[in-house]
Amino acid sequence: MLGIETSCDETAASIVAADRTILSSIVLSQTPLHAAYGGVVPEIAARAHLEHCDGLVRRSLDDAGLRMRDLDAVAATVGPGLIGGLIVGAMTGKAIALARRIPFLAINHLEGHALSARLDPGVEFPYLLLLVSGGHCQLLMVRGVGRYLRLGTTIDDAAGEAFDKTAKLLDLGYPGGPALERCARAGDARRFDLPRPLHGRAGCDFSFSGLKTAVRLLVERLGEGRSAKDTADVAAAFQLAVADVIEDRTRHALILAQDHGHAPSALVVAGGVAANQAIRLRLARLAATHGLSLKAPPLALCTDNAAMIAWAGLERLARGLTDQLDAAARPRWPLDPEAG
Ligand code: KG4
Ligand code: ZN
C-alpha cells in the first residue's frame, strides 16, 4: 500500500506491506518555509506539496526497492486539513490508482493517527484514544475501523497549538512543542503556579486558552529582564499544567467509557504531542492504575507521516472499504459524525 499525506505542512509518502512492515517512509517537513510566519501559511504549503509530492512517491518506491507496478493499492489523506494540500495528495493518489487500475482509499487524517498504534500487532479494538496534535485534542473510543465515539474534545485550542503558542511567547522558535520540552528539562515546574482549565470538572473536554493567557501575563510580568532560568521555569510550569490537565481528562474518559459499557483494552496516545516524554510518563502511570497498558506509536509515527495513512488504507482495504475516484477533499471531516 502506498500512502500519501499532504494535509498540513509535511509532504509524506510511505509503503507499508499487509503484514505491517514499513518498507519505506519519507517525511519532508516544510517547517523552514513557514518559520518566518510563526505558523503554517496555506498557500505556501499547497505550492510546496505540489512541487514535492510526485518526487517523494518515487523516492518511497526506490527506498522500498519496488516499482510502480508492484503497488496493490493507494491511500491518500483527503481530509481534514488545508484544502490546497489535500487536493495535491488526493490527485496524486487517484492518478496512480487510475493509471495502474488499483484500488484507491480516501483516508481521514485523524483515522490515520487513530489506527497507527495498530502497526503494533498487540493493539486490539476497542481502545481509548487520546489524539493530541497541533490541530486536534480529542478523546475517542475506537470500537473498530470507521467506528469512533467521541467522548471529549477541546473547546478552544488544541494541546499542540498551546505548546506552539507558548513556545512563541518564550521565543523558543517554531514548531514549539519539541523546543519547549527541551527547555522545560532545565526548569523548576513548581516556581510558577499556572491554571489547569477544566481540571476536575465533569466530562472530558479540554480547554487551553486560559492557560495560554496566564503564560502571556506571566511573561509580560517577567518583562525584558527575563533570564534563561525564568524561561525554563515557565516552560516547565506550562508543561506540568498541560500534563495535569491531560491526565485528569483522560482519567475521566476511562471512567466514562466504562460507564458506557465500552471497556477499553488499552489506552492509546497519538498525534504530535504524544512525542512529549513528560506527558507519556503521566499517561503510562494513569493506564497502569486502570490495569491497562499505554500504547504509543514510535516517535516517528506520532507526528504526521504517511505510514499511518498507508496502514489505515490497509485496514480499510481488508474490510472492502475502497473509494471511488470522485472522492472529494474535505477540509472538515470529524471522525465521529454524531459529534459534528
Ligand atoms: O500530529 P502533528 O505532527 O500534526 C498535526 O496534525 O497537528 O502534531 C504537531 C504538533 C505541534 O503542535 C507540535 O508542537 C506538537 O505536535 N509536538 C509536541 C512535541 N512534538 C511535537 N508537543 C509537545 N512536546 C513535544 N515533544
Ligand atoms: Zn496529524
Side-chain angles (χ1 to χ4, degrees):
M1 176 74 66
L2 168 67
I4 300 173
E5 161 61 41
T6 54
S7 67
C8 190
D9 61 342
E10 266 98 24
T11 317
S14 168
I15 296 170
V16 178
D19 69 358
R20 299 178 154 88
T21 312
I22 299 174
L23 299 172
S24 64
S25 179
I26 309 171
V27 179
L28 183 70
S29 170
Q30 301 177 358
T31 299
L33 298 180
H34 303 288
Y37 305 93
V40 179
V41 183
E43 183 63 25
I44 293 176
R47 287 171 191 271
H49 286 305
L50 188 58
E51 196 177 324
H52 296 291
C53 194
D54 55 349
L56 277 195
V57 168
R58 170 61 56 203
R59 272 180 55 202
S60 71
L61 284 165
D62 290 347
D63 282 7
L66 296 174
R67 312 271 291 273
M68 201 63 102
R69 64 165 175 267
D70 298 321
L71 295 173
D72 295 311
V74 187
T77 302
V78 306
L82 299 172
I83 187 69
L86 290 171
I87 289 173
V88 171
M91 292 307 285
T92 306
K94 288 175 184 180
I96 293 169
L98 181 66
R100 299 298 321 153
R101 296 177 208 277
I102 54 179
F104 174 70
L105 297 107
I107 304 297
N108 182 314
H109 177 84
L110 303 176
E111 183 164 52
H113 280 303
L115 298 177
S116 61
R118 281 168 54 81
L119 276 161
D120 170 346
V123 179
E124 305 271 358
F125 299 123
Y127 51 83
L128 179 70
L129 171 75
L130 169 67
L131 175 58
V132 273
S133 70
H136 303 277
C137 190
Q138 310 187 346
L139 281 153
L140 292 154
M141 269 309 295
V142 180
R143 294 182 294 167
V145 173
R147 297 175 60 219
Y148 308 95
L149 176 70
R150 197 173 80 186
L151 300 174
T153 187
T154 182
I155 55 177
D156 40 59
D157 292 349
E161 199 178 350
F163 266 94
D164 293 335
K165 288 176 177 170
T166 299
K168 198 170 171 183
L169 278 169
L170 293 172
D171 307 311
L172 296 175
Y174 165 87
L180 194 141
E181 180 176 17
R182 239 176 286 123
C183 176
R185 271 187 216 128
D188 169 7
R190 304 284 168 190
R191 179 171 155 212
F192 300 113
D193 193 20
L194 292 171
R196 279 129 175 89
L198 298 183
H199 193 285
R201 298 277 197 88
C204 40
D205 282 339
F206 297 85
S207 165
F208 292 104
S209 72
L211 175 58
K212 187 184 62 192
T213 306
V215 173
R216 184 171 52 76
L217 295 174
L218 176 57
V219 169
E220 279 168 16
R221 189 154 59 75
L222 290 166
E224 294 282 300
R226 195 179 83 233
S227 67
K229 165 138 182 36
D230 293 337
T231 302
D233 291 348
V234 177
F238 167 82
Q239 185 170 269
L240 179 64
V242 173
D244 279 349
V245 168
I246 287 180
E247 184 185 343
D248 175 74
R249 307 285 76 200
T250 309
R251 181 186 306 111
H252 278 227
L254 283 169
I255 295 165
L256 205 66
Q258 252 129 18
D259 288 352
H260 277 297
H262 300 294
S265 73
L267 172 60
V268 171
V269 60
V273 182
N276 187 285
Q277 293 299 329
I279 292 173
R280 275 192 188 218
L281 219 63
R282 296 288 291 276
L283 291 170
R285 218 169 57 190
L286 172 68
T289 63
H290 284 78
L292 301 173
S293 56
L294 175 72
K295 299 284 188 182
L299 290 187
L301 295 177
C302 280
T303 47
D304 286 349
N305 65 88
M308 69 180 191
I309 303 306
W311 174 249
L314 282 165
E315 293 254 39
R316 296 186 73 82
L317 183 65
R319 290 161 181 82
L321 301 170
T322 57
D323 295 282
Q324 300 299 316
L325 292 182
D326 61 357
R330 302 172 64 172
R332 284 183 48 79
W333 187 5
L335 266 188
D336 175 356
E338 301 289 310

